[in-house]
Amino acid sequence: MTSPGFASVVLDVDSTLCGVEGIDWLAEQRGGDVGRQVAQLTDRAMRGEIALDAVYGERLALVSPTRDEMRELARVYVATLAAGAAPAVRRLCRAHRRVVLVSGGLREAILPLAAELELAEADVHAVSVQFGPDGRYAGYDATSPLATADGKRHVVRSLGLPRRILAMGDGATDLAMRADVDTFAAFTGFVRREPVVAAADLTLESFDQLVELALG
């Protein structure tokens, strides 16, 4: 007998699972000009006005985050978890739903968040950053599909997740998953991007709503 609801749940991290855009937070540590420039690039990419491919490396080069700053960002992610997100993820897992994080964010900062949610490292899909022996930024995995505008759909497809699949996110890069999942929900709990809302199958504004939908 087929279980009600959805067998798999794919979650974005920045501005969905957590109330922060990680790269924007890192940029703020560099001062006003860098912070504003990076935030503008992020917003335009999430609205679908420019391709993420065109700005991903540029934003990181502007910020050049250190290893210590990444550790601090990890703490910020945990501190800004959406209301009810942690118990929601744990409840879904206890109900034998497969929960994965698929993010264009930085893996090293997201892994501690996943541990807080009791998710395995193998269920975290994000972009890795490299550091030199002194802890300074030394580049990122430019081969990662998650550094591109439609990379999330390719990652989701490659995972072979049990169907039915529900994906939830706030940006244009999340919306790209709609082609390879059964239902895409636009999350508006932190930010509402009208082009994403208009193209989504439905809109959710809380993790309580997510659990209700996923469990059926």
Side-chain angles (χ1 to χ4, degrees), residues 23 27 30 34 37-38 41 55-65 106 129 137-140:
I23 189 66
R30 297 289 176 267
V34 172
Q37 187 174 352
V38 170
L41 291 172
V55 300
Y56 201 96
E58 179 183 355
R59 294 182 308 171
L60 272 174
L62 283 166
V63 175
S64 295
L106 306 177
V129 174
Y137 175 70
Y140 72 101

Side-chain angles (χ1 to χ4, degrees), residues 161-180:
L161 296 172
R163 303 196 82 98
R164 302 170 61 234
I165 304 171
L166 168 65
M168 185 173 78
D170 66 284
T173 56
D174 304 307
L175 182 60
M177 293 187 284
R178 188 168 183 263
D180 284 276

Side-chain angles (χ1 to χ4, degrees), residues 46-108:
M46 291 306 100
R47 289 180 180 276
E49 295 175 5
I50 53 176
L52 183 65
D53 321 34
V55 300
Y56 201 96
E58 179 183 355
R59 294 182 308 171
L60 272 174
L62 283 166
V63 175
S64 295
T66 66
R67 183 184 284 114
D68 286 345
E69 287 169 336
M70 293 286 283
R71 290 173 180 147
E72 184 59 31
L73 174 58
R75 289 189 282 270
V76 172
Y77 273 137
V78 173
T80 63
L81 268 168
V89 169
R90 294 179 186 127
R91 183 179 174 189
L92 290 172
C93 291
R94 287 196 301 270
H96 306 292
R97 268 51 175 186
R98 177 80 181 277
V99 179
V100 298
L101 307 184
V102 177
S103 171
L106 306 177
R107 180 176 171 83
E108 288 71 21

